[in-house]
Each structure stands twice: as C-alpha cells, then as structure tokens.
C-alpha cells in the first residue's frame, strides 16, 4: 500500500542533507511576493533552543504559473537575499537549520497558501519519517515574529501533554501603527477573541482559534488526517477542524506569535482582508449578536435529553427551544439527524459527542450567518464586548485598546 507521501505529496524531497536524528521541531513558512524573509528568520534565530532536540525551518517561496513577471522577480530576489543570509549568518549551527525553496510555477488551479503550507508540511513529515520520529510540524507566516521562548514552549508543551495539535497564543502588534491601522486591528482581534469566548460560554466543544501562523501538529496525526489541503484561503480553519475534532487539541499560551496588522487583498478573509474592510468602512466592524449564542446555549445544555428520543419525543423537546432556532434546525434536518445519531450510540455521552461531530464549527458558522440574516443582526464591537465582559466578570474600559489587552490577558491565563 502506498504511503501518504507517495500518494499525495506535491513534490519529492526538498532538503538534500539527511535530518539530524534528534530533529524535534520543523517550522514551515509560506512566502509569496515578499520583500524579505529576514525579519522572521532573525526572530527565530534569536529564540532560545531546547536543551535536547533540533529545529529545522523551511521557507516555501511560491507563485502561480500565471503570476506576472514582477512577482516572479520579487520571489527570486527574496530567495537570493535569504540564501546569502543563511550562508553568512546561519550556517554551522547544528541545533537550528534554515532552509529555503522556491516554486515559481505552481499549477494555477491550486497555487496559494494552502499548497505552499502543504509543500512545507509534507517535507517536515518526510524528514521525521526518515528518522522514525513523531515530531512537531509548526506553521508560521513570513510577516510574523515570535517571543524568545517560542521553541522552548512548543517543545515542552508537546512533551508534557498528550495532545495531537495546539494553537499558539497570538497578538497583533499595535504600538507603532498608524491610528487607522491600530483602530482596525484592535477591532478585528477583539472580534476573534469574542467569537471563541462566546463559543466557550455556551459550551461548544470545538472553541479554538484556527490561525495558520500559530498552529502546531504532531507529524503522525498530520499524515493520518490526510495532510494539509490546497485551499487558497481558509486552509488553516479546514485543516485544524479535523485535528480539533479528534479531541486532543489544546492551547499553548506561554509563548506568543506576533502577527502582522498590515492590509492585504491576497485572500477573501483573514486579518489583512479585515483590516482593509474596516479602514474602508469608516472604521466600523461588527460581531455576531449575543442573542444568537444565548438561544443556541439552551439546545447545547439539553442535548443529552435527546438521547433515545423518538420522533414524538424530539418534537416535544423542540418546543422548549426558541422559534428562530427551531426554524433553523428544521432547515438543517435536525430531527432525522437525532434519530440517526441514536441508532449508532449506546450511551448519552457517546450521543453528545456524535452530535457535536454533526454540529461542528462549520455548522455553527452557518447557523450564526442564518440568524444574522434572518433574525438578529450583528452588533457593534463595543456592544458585543460589553456583553462578553459582563459574562466573564471583566472590567470594561472606554478604550478598545485597553479592552483588547484585558481580553488577551484573560485568554492567556
């Protein structure tokens, strides 16, 4: 039987030198049309290394076969610069090794960040398989920097916890940004933290940030789950949901990825797109209405009541739910799903787990969009954060910057 790499890898081996037998961490950095890789490489070079275990870093410079000449040229200049830096600043260090590869003619159908991550992550898997190690494949982005304990914290987290994957604490630096960009990124990061904390308040089990520049996964699990997808956007969300739903995912909050707050139009959603949208919309952003979460919480709290329920029982239980939620569940085919789940589960706990495999992060987002459009419009960031802080027992400020600092601290602790 062919292995994952034989069946699905985009390319053969990239790094020619054999991996060190103590290789522990493999960091992947996709790079497209960037002026330089040096800031992220220098940030990683400044990190404290674990006492045992080695680190490799691979930047995957990439472009579509249809990319214009100026992007191809920019990629080539970036590659030349970083190769020069590696030869003069990073060679000879056996504990951390820097590598760069370039793919300037990826198939137009798939060219993008998903394929670039896949190329790098597959190489990490290949390196670990060469030495028979279940190592850690880490993702970062070219416009990020990291805290000095980045390697130490990741290594310790996976050594000390029986986890398949982890999300790493992230923050968008705002101190040296223009007022316009600062305001936009504060609103967007508040949105990200609001969304996950609201999920946790209602008991949603898959409430984790899915940030491509701040994620790590064991190589065996990466292979078992079919590797990274080739999506041009949202690749991190779709990939991590597979890992999260295995039930052995965690947060790593004692190191930080500092993610760029720059504008971008490269993908249809994400930080860069959000900053663009906010700055073009008079600086306003909005959050899902707290009422939509409250209504759903009632179902989540009572879901085990549906265990072994027949059609008539389901209808009676549904009457305890809000009319708007019942309307959505009817569209979703809730009753038939409950009957089917009951056919394949032998106790209430198994029933609940299977239900949340059906009502997963994708379904939650569909529900919230439907509620937004049909019943409860989005609210302002200020209104949403006021509600959340009240539920969490946090002190609300008149300054959104201070609220973000408070919520970061809460999430980290």
């Amino acid at each position: 039987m062919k292995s994952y790499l034989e069946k699905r890898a985009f390319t053969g081996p990239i790094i020619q030198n054999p991996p060190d037998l103590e290789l522990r961490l493999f960091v992947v950095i996709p790079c497209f049309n960037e002026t330089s890789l040096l800031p992220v490489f220098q940030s990683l070079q400044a990190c404290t290394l674990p006492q045992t275990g080695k680190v490799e870093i691979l930047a995957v410079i990439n472009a579509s076969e249809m990319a214009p000449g100026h992007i191809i040229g920019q990629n080539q200049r970036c590659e030349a610069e970083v190769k020069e830096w590696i030869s003069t600043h990073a060679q000879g260090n056996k504990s951390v090794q820097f590598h760069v590869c370039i793919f300037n003619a990826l198939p137009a159908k798939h060219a993008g960040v998903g394929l670039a991550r896949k190329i790098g992550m597959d190489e990490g898997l290949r390196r670990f398989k060469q030495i028979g190690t279940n190592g850690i494949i880490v993702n970062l982005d070219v416009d990020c920097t990291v805290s000095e304990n980045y390697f130490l914290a990741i290594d310790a987290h996976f050594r000390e916890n029986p986890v398949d994957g982890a999300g790493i604490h992230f923050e968008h630096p705002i101190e040296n940004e223009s007022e316009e960009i600062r305001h936009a990124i504060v609103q967007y990061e508040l949105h990200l933290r609001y969304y996950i904390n609201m999920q946790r308040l209602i008991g949603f089990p898959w409430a984790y940030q899915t940030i491509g520049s701040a994620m790590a996964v064991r190589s065996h699990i990466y292979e078992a789950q079919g590797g990274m997808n080739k999506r041009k956007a949202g690749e991190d969300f779709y990939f991590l949901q597979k890992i999260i739903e295995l039930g052995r995912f965690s947060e790593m909050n004692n190191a930080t990825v500092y993610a760029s707050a720059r504008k971008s139009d490269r993908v249809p959603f994400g930080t860069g797109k959000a900053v663009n949208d906010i700055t073009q919309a008079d600086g306003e952003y909005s959050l899902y209405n707290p009422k939509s979460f409250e209504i759903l919480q009632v179902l989540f709290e009572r879901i085990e009541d549906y265990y072994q329920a027949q059609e008539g029982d389901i209808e009676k239980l549904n009457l305890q739910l809000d009319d708007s939620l019942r309307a959505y569940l009817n569209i979703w085919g809730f009753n038939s799903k409950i009957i089917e789940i009951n056919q394949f589960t032998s106790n209430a706990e198994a029933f609940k787990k299977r239900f949340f495999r059906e009502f997963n992060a994708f379904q939650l987002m569909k529900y919230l969009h439907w509620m937004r459009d049909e019943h409860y419009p989005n609210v302002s960031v200020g209104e949403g954060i006021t509600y959340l802080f009240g539920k969490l027992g946090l002190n609300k400020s008149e300054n959104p910057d201070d609220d973000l600092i408070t919520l970061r601290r809460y999430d980290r602790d």
Side-chain angles (χ1 to χ4, degrees), residues 82-94:
V82 79
K83 280 186 172 181
E84 172 66 19
W85 180 85
I86 291 172
S87 67
T88 57
H89 294 84
Q91 279 191 347
N93 187 339
K94 295 183 179 180

Side-chain angles (χ1 to χ4, degrees), residues 19-24 124-136 219-220 223:
D20 191 293
L21 294 177
E22 295 184 20
L23 180 61
R24 172 74 177 164
L125 171 64
R126 183 180 289 113
R127 303 288 279 176
F128 288 126
K129 288 177 77 70
Q130 284 181 267
I131 58 175
T133 297
N134 186 17
I136 311 305
S219 59
H220 285 186
E223 180 177 25

Side-chain angles (χ1 to χ4, degrees), residues 366-381:
K366 290 179 181 178
Y367 160 80
L368 290 169
H369 286 179
W370 187 84
M371 291 293 276
R372 175 199 64 196
D373 296 339
E374 300 295 331
H375 293 280
Y376 299 102
N378 283 1
V379 299
S380 69
V381 171

Side-chain angles (χ1 to χ4, degrees), residues 6-144:
E6 291 174 314
K7 291 188 295 184
R8 300 190 183 183
F10 176 79
T11 185
I14 294 171
I15 303 170
Q16 299 306 313
N17 296 334
D20 191 293
L21 294 177
E22 295 184 20
L23 180 61
R24 172 74 177 164
L25 303 177
F26 191 93
V27 183
V28 177
I29 306 173
C31 175
F32 167 75
N33 193 27
E34 295 288 346
T35 57
S36 179
L37 269 160
L38 296 191
V40 65
F41 270 24
Q42 290 166 341
S43 178
L44 291 169
Q45 189 184 45
C47 290
T48 304
L49 296 169
Q51 291 185 346
T52 60
K54 302 297 192 293
V55 178
E56 287 190 351
I57 296 139
L58 174 64
V60 182
I61 301 175
N62 67 98
S64 164
E65 60 190 350
M66 303 298 290
H70 73 273
I71 290 179
I72 301 301
Q74 185 61 61
N75 280 356
Q76 291 170 338
R77 289 189 291 273
C78 185
E79 179 196 29
E81 179 191 51
V82 79
K83 280 186 172 181
E84 172 66 19
W85 180 85
I86 291 172
S87 67
T88 57
H89 294 84
Q91 279 191 347
N93 187 339
K94 295 183 179 180
S95 294
V96 56
Q97 296 184 10
F98 292 84
H99 307 280
V100 61
C101 62
I102 187 166
F103 291 86
N104 256 348
L106 295 176
K109 181 179 179 181
H110 297 297
V113 65
L115 180 53
R117 288 200 198 280
K118 174 179 170 55
I119 289 170
M121 295 178 80
D122 285 356
E123 181 68 3
L125 171 64
R126 183 180 289 113
R127 303 288 279 176
F128 288 126
K129 288 177 77 70
Q130 284 181 267
I131 58 175
T133 297
N134 186 17
I136 311 305
I137 302 174
V138 186
N139 270 256
L140 191 60
D141 279 352
V142 68
D143 57 352
C144 295

